């Protein structure tokens, strides 16, 4: 049933499914389609044979027996494991702000006053599980269900999913939560969640698959009877409408529509078979004609056989030609193997020679060290003697000094004795001539002269104390002047260099190579003409680097240094060749060795907000980029213009930053290099680049920057010249002040000297005139002391002479020992020199051996490279041979080539044969291949069409048989379901002592009830129109329960079933519905009534849900169960 229902859904819906959002206004099934279905059903029923009355009675009797037997058995009504509803939640839906209803697993009664929102529960279930808005008879679009004043609504239905037959239980768990959200704007969407709330899907197709799996037929009017449908079915339905409810409820109508589609398919197939008969005749005639033409063309098979034979030989002759080339390569490869073995053997010999030279050098160095070690004791002995000699020499010098001192003392004592004797004579004479008349005058003159001398000396000292200050000022000014002149000269040099750089930039615009060595063009031409390079050198490096931010030109040019003028090669051999070319053209530049392997720096670069050297450079060569990264760490060097900002950032320890360049705060064109160590940054200045910029950049920007630098330098030069002039003026002032001070000092010195001379003169005159008591005795006592001192000095003088002679003898002895040691040291030095010369020769021999070893290794590498190149050629040739052989094998298996035949000779023969065949084909009007192809196509088309017709005939026959079988089964379903409904209806009427019958007219599509309220009366019963309201409702309830017995859905829903019943009929109907529900094991019933349930005796399988009247401002509606 579920599968048939799904097919119906696919066939009747042409609109694509919406996975996330669907429109509010869903299309209804058109009345026209329903009319077509009814007409098809009437046509089939008119063609079929109506069941006989005796068969109908027999079926009714059998169904009655089954019902009675089932009712006599006591069966437990157990809840279903899956497919029933656990709860429904409404948010901002209809009159409810928030309503949550938990269903019982078996029988549920929802009660409440009118307007309490009972019908909203069934409406919410229908819409949430994919039903259309129009199917509820409560609104035309989803937005009409949103509560007044709200913009959106949500519906949540929880489906039980336990047991072994649950739907994808490993994914959803024990419950499947279906959520539908819709807004007034028209958007709508579904969400499928697991039991724990995890989202699973948002596709409506997945929801439809779940509904089909559990057979939740929400679009079946008999499965979910809304309030309006229930009223129509219970009170106002005609026999035709009841029959329509019946066939839709038990899904006979859906099966009938499927069979109608099958009949249409059979009619289309039979129509196609009629048209295909003429087509097959045409195809058969065409196949016959093309076969006859092919037979005529096959008479020229001899020529074609030759063509095939020569073509096969041609294919394999080309293969043999390629195989010969492969053999030649194999010969070259064998020769390369022999050459490799030879150079490897020679390398072993050279390696042994190097080892010998290395061992000899080590032995010579050891011997030299041994000689040095043996010379060490001799040098130590000489040092000991030399120490004694030096000590003796010092003692001798000390004695000689004492000797001279004693001799000088004797001279002094002798002079003193002589002078004392003279003074004694003069004193005796002075005493004889002494008188006292002019003494007072001379004393006064002496005092006056002394005061004059003291004043002159005081003035001189005061004047002289001011001289160091003047000399210091002059010296400081001289230092400032020298430093300022040096700074000015340096600044003038910078201005000249900057001006020259600017002129060079203006001259070299568009000729970037001129910024390098003057002979660089010659070197580049020589490199391009050289063919020995394994890989062409790259350089100069600056020619492959473009600076995107010219303001960093000076700093980056200085920091990158000579690497911008260098070349990069990938092997030692290319380095040697390039160095040779540089020497030849007299343009020597640094040569670096790198490799072409790309380097990934993405995980080692600083934060993208920083400019790095790598990010401001555009490098067009991967080899250059790799070399700059390895040698200069350009990917981890950040560029920040402001020094304070750079210092703060480096102090914070940024990630993946090795150093930082920033602009100098005071000097244009200069920079600062900051490095972080231990959380603190250290800085060093970077001088500005004075030469021509070697990196490419925007020439006009570079010229403008250089002009700005020149203007700043000229301003700085002017300021320095002004400062030098001021310092020169100050220096001249200091110099003049010092000259004036020196002149005044000389004058004052002369005045002091004159005053002192005058005072001394007065003193001498006064001394001559003054009588001094005791002076003569003192002079005599001094003479006596001087004579005694002379005697002592004469004794010491003799001792010094003796000690001097002894020390001279010791010095001579030590000198002889030193000479002996010097001769021994000289001999050892000669031996050491000889050993070092030998070691030097051996070192040179080792160097030569090492060069030969390196050359041998290089030859091995060259030989291996040649071998690898030949192996690649061989591999390519093997592939070529394989390709040609595979292509030839597609033509034919390998065939021998006739002796003497070559591809050229075979091609010539094939050309002549093709000409002959072409003449014949011109006569035939087409080539043999074309004729054969046309014949094969015609034969294949005829056979294919014939097989298709046969298959269609077989398919049509199978479909006819299947249709007949299904129609027969459909009639049986119709008969048995009708019989069971009649029997169940009769049984249910008997619950209230009614009698009656259920008349089913399948030909007229009518279902009518005949009921007699009192079973004691006789007659055929009355139609429902003659019954009272309660009797009519009770009879219709019996009909509904009868039809429900024939339905397979796990849930039944009915809204306001007792609206027209009196209390008696209602109580009987309720008990009957509960009993019928209990007999429907595992089925879930949701029944809505506005009446109370106080008179009904309910058990544990019945749950009563009472809804309260909605209140203004209420957010959650309580309910009682």
């Amino acid at each position: 049933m579920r599968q048939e229902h799904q097919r119906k859904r696919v066939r009747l819906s042409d609109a694509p499914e919406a996975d996330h959002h669907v429109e509010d206004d869903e299309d209804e099934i058109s009345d026209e389609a329903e009319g077509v279905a009814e007409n098809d059903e009437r046509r089939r029923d008119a063609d079929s044979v109506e069941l006989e009355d005796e068969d109908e009675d027999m079926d009714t009797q059998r169904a009655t027996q089954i019902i009675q037997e089932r009712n006599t058995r006591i069966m437990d009504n157990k809840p279903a494991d899956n497919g029933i509803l656990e709860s429904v939640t409404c948010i901002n839906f209809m009159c409810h702000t928030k309503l949550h209803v938990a269903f019982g697993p078996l029988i549920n009664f929802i009660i409440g006053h009118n307007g309490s929102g009972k019908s909203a529960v069934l409406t919410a279930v229908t819409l949430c599980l994919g039903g259309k808005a129009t199917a509820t008879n409560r609104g035309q679009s989803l937005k009409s269900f949103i509560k007044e004043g709200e913009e959106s609504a949500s519906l949540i239905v929880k489906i039980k999913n336990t047991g072994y037959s649950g739907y994808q239980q490993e994914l959803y768990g024990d419950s499947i939560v279906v959520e539908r959200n819709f807004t007034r704007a028209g958007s709508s969407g579904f969400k499928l969640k697991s039991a724990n709330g995890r989202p699973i899907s948002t596709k409506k197709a997945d929801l439809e698959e779940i509904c089909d799996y559990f057979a939740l037929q929400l679009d079946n009017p008999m499965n979910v009877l809304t309030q309006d449908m229930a009223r129509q079915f219970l009170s106002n339905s005609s026999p035709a409408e009841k029959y329509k409810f019946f066939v839709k409820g038990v899904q006979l109508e859906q099966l009938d529509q499927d069979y109608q589609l099958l009949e249409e398919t059979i009619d289309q197939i039979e129509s196609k078979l009629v048209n295909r008969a003429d087509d097959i005749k045409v195809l058969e005639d065409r196949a016959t004609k093309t076969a006859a033409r092919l037979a005529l063309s096959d008479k020229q098979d001899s020529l074609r056989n030759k063509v095939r034979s020569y073509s096969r030989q041609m294919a394999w002759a080309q293969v043999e030609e390629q195989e010969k080339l492969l053999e030649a390569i194999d010969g070259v490869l064998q020769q390369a193997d022999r050459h490799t073995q030879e150079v490897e053997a020679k390398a072993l010999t050279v390696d042994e020679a190097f080892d010998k030279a290395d061992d000899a050098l080590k032995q010579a160095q050891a011997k030299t060290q041994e000689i040095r070690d043996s010379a060490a004791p001799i040098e130590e002995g000489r040092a000991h003697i030399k120490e004694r000699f030096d000590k003796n020499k010092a003692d001798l010098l000390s004695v000689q000094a004492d000797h001279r001192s004693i001799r000088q003392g004797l001279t002094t004592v002798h002079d003193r004795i002589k002078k004392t004797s003279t003074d004694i004579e003069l004193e005796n004479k002075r005493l004889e001539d002494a008188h006292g008349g002019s003494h007072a005058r001379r004393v006064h003159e002496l005092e006056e002269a002394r005061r004059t001398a003291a004043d002159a000396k005081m003035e001189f000292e005061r004047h002289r104390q001011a001289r160091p200050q003047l000399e210091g000022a002059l010296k400081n000014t001289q230092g400032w002047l020298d430093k300022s002149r040096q700074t000015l000269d340096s600044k003038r040099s910078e201005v000249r260099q900057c001006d020259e750089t600017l002129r060079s930039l203006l001259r070299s615009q568009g000729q970037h190579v001129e910024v390098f060595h003057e002979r660089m063009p010659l070197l580049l031409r020589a490199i391009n003409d050289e063919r020995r390079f394994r890989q062409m050198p790259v350089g100069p490096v600056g020619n492959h680097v473009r600076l995107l931010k010219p303001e960093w030109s000076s700093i980056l040019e200085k920091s990158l240094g000579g690497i911008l003028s260098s070349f990069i090669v990938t092997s030692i051999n290319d380095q040697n060749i390039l160095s040779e070319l540089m020497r030849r053209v007299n343009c020597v530049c640094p040569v670096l060795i790198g490799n072409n392997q790309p380097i990934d720096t993405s995980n080692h670069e600083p934060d993208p907000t920083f400019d790095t050297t790598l990010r401001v450079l555009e490098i067009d060569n991967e080899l250059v980029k790799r070399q700059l990264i390895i040698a200069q760490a350009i990917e981890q060097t950040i560029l920040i213009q402001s020094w304070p900002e750079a210092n703060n950032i480096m102090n914070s320890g940024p990630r993946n930053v090795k150093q930082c360049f920033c602009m100098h705060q005071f000097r244009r064109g200069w920079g600062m290099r900051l490095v972080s160590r231990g959380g603190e940054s250290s800085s060093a200045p970077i001088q500005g680049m004075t030469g021509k910029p070697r990196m490419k950049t925007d020439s006009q920007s570079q010229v403008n920057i250089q002009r700005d630098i020149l203007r700043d330098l000229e301003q700085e030069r002017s300021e320095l010249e002004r400062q030098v002039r001021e310092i020169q003026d100050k220096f001249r002032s200091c110099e003049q002040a010092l000259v004036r001070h020196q002149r005044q000092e000389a004058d004052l010195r002369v005045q002091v000297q004159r005053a002192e001379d005058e005072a001394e003169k007065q003193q001498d005159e006064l001394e001559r005139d003054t009588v001094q008591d005791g002076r003569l005795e003192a002079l005599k006592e001094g003479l006596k002391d001087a004579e005694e001192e002379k005697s002592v000095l004469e004794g010491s003088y003799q001792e010094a002479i003796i000690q001097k002679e002894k020390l001279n003898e010791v010095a001579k002895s030590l000198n002889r020992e030193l000479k002996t040691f010097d001769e021994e040291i000289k001999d050892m030095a000669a031996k050491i020199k000889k050993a070092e010369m030998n070691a030097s020769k051996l070192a040179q021999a080792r160097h030569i051996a090492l060069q030969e070893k390196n050359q041998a290794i290089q030859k091995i590498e060259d030989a291996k490279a040649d071998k690898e190149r030949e192996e690649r050629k061989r591999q390519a040739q093997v592939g070529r041979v394989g390709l040609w052989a595979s292509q030839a094998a597609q033509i034919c298996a390998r065939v021998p080539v006739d002796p003497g035949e070559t591809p050229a000779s075979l091609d010539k023969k094939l050309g002549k044969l093709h000409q002959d065949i072409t003449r014949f084909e011109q006569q035939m009007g087409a080539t043999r291949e074309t004729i054969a192809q046309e014949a094969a196509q015609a034969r294949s088309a005829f056979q294919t069409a014939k097989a298709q017709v046969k298959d269609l005939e077989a398919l049509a026959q199978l479909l006819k048989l299947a249709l007949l079988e299904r129609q027969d089964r459909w009639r049986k379903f119709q008969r048995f379901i009708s019989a069971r409904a009649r029997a169940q209806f009769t049984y249910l009427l008997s619950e209230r002592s009614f009698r009656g019958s259920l008349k089913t007219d399948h030909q007229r599509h009518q279902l009518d009830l005949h009921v007699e309220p009192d079973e004691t009366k006789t007659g055929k019963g009355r139609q429902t129109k003659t019954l009272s309201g309660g009797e009519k409702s009770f009879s219709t309830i019996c009909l509904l329960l009868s039809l429900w017995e024939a339905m397979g859905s796990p849930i039944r829903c009915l809204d306001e079933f007792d609206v027209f019943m009196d209390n008696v009929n209602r109580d009987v109907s309720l008990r009957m519905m509960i009993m019928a529900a209990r007999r429907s094991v595992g089925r879930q019933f949701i029944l809505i009534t506005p009446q109370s349930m106080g008179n009904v005796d309910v058990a544990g399988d019945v749950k009563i849900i009472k809804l309260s009247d909605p209140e203004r401002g209420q957010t959650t509606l309580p309910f009682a169960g």
Side-chain angles (χ1 to χ4, degrees), residues 297-309:
S297 177
D298 287 341
K299 294 181 179 179
Q300 298 296 324
D301 279 347
S302 59
L303 291 177
R304 294 191 180 93
N305 289 336
K306 286 185 179 179
V307 169
R308 282 193 290 271
S309 176

Side-chain angles (χ1 to χ4, degrees), residues 17 29 57 76 140 166 187 206 225 242 356 365 444 540 682 786 798 810-811 832 842 891 957 960 971 998 1062 1101 1118:
E17 294 183 355
I29 301 175
D57 295 339
D76 294 334
Q140 296 299 317
S187 62
D206 293 338
L225 264 75
K242 287 184 176 67
K356 292 180 180 179
Q365 290 174 344
H444 177 73
S682 60
Q798 293 297 324
V810 173
I832 291 172
L842 292 175
I891 299 174
Q957 186 63 26
K960 287 179 181 179
R971 292 187 183 94
L998 181 64
D1062 54 22
D1101 58 349

Side-chain angles (χ1 to χ4, degrees), residues 662-677:
C662 66
M663 303 293 185
H664 199 282
Q665 289 182 290
F666 309 108
R667 306 199 65 173
R668 185 68 177 267
W670 283 45
M672 298 292 292
R673 177 177 178 268
L674 287 81
V675 180
S676 179
R677 293 186 180 92

Side-chain angles (χ1 to χ4, degrees), residues 525-560:
R525 283 197 295 271
I527 292 173
N528 291 330
D529 295 340
E530 183 61 52
R531 293 293 179 265
R532 292 179 294 168
F533 290 116
R534 293 181 180 177
Q535 182 175 345
M536 191 65 67
V538 177
V541 169
N543 206 30
H544 296 274
V545 178
R546 176 174 293 279
L547 180 59
L548 303 179
K549 295 188 175 182
E551 62 269 19
W552 293 100
S553 174
S554 178
I555 297 174
L556 294 183
E557 289 275 353
K558 192 68 175 181
S559 64
L560 295 177

